[in-house]
Amino acid sequence: MNIGIIGAGKVGTTIATLLESCKFCKSIALVDTRTNIDLKGLKKSKLIRIDVTKPSQLDKFVRSVDTIVSAAPYFLNKGIVEVCAKAGVSYFDLTEDVETTQFVRKLAAKKGNKATFMPQCGLAPGAINIV
């Protein structure tokens, strides 16, 4: 599986580090606009510089992976999940934003949608609910 992570800050790179040890994960592409991201020591991961607020750049990236994990600020997630829905690519985010979660659920409920959409997969409420 080729996984795309949007947001290569501390959370995004930590997710990539954890995915490195997973046998199902063939490659990890982290997306960010910053240039000072250090991925030394990560063998499956690479950094791609794109601006996710530009739909054409985001669409091209989303279509190049099997699933998207958004570690971006919550206010970017609506645009990201919308592109994922159009492309039929599964989407996970860490947001706790209720409005964004409702938006994601509406997209997930649409007929013909075969991708998985999982909002609120962060520490709280996501991991807390699982525990």
Side-chain angles (χ1 to χ4, degrees):
M1 177 176 278
N2 301 310
I3 300 172
I5 300 174
I6 298 177
K10 290 179 179 157
V11 173
T13 55
T14 298
I15 293 168
T17 301
L18 293 169
L19 287 170
E20 287 267 333
S21 65
C22 297
K23 290 181 183 178
F24 68 85
C25 181
K26 291 180 185 174
S27 70
I28 304 154
L30 289 106
V31 165
D32 211 297
T33 55
R34 296 172 286 184
T35 57
N36 61 341
I37 307 297
D38 182 8
L39 299 179
K40 289 179 189 152
L42 299 181
K43 296 176 183 173
K44 297 179 185 180
S45 299
K46 66 180 177 181
L47 180 66
I48 300 172
R49 289 195 59 223
I50 67 165
D51 183 347
V52 298
T53 64
K54 298 192 173 163
S56 62
Q57 290 182 24
L58 179 58
D59 183 65
K60 184 177 178 183
F61 174 69
V62 165
R63 292 179 187 279
S64 73
V65 296
D66 299 311
T67 192
I68 291 289
V69 177
S70 178
Y74 79 93
F75 57 84
L76 295 175
N77 284 335
K78 283 184 182 179
I80 295 167
V81 72
E82 220 166 14
V83 170
C84 289
K86 288 178 187 171
V89 173
S90 294
Y91 166 88
F92 302 81
D93 75 31
L94 311 171
T95 190
E96 295 179 26
D97 183 62
V98 174
E99 184 181 328
T100 301
T101 299
Q102 291 169 346
F103 183 79
V104 172
R105 287 180 177 161
K106 283 181 186 174
L107 283 176
K110 287 188 177 181
K111 282 189 177 184
N113 190 358
K114 296 183 180 176
T116 300
F117 296 92
M118 293 184 66
Q120 297 187 335
C121 293
L123 181 60
I128 300 303
N129 289 342
I130 294 167
V131 171

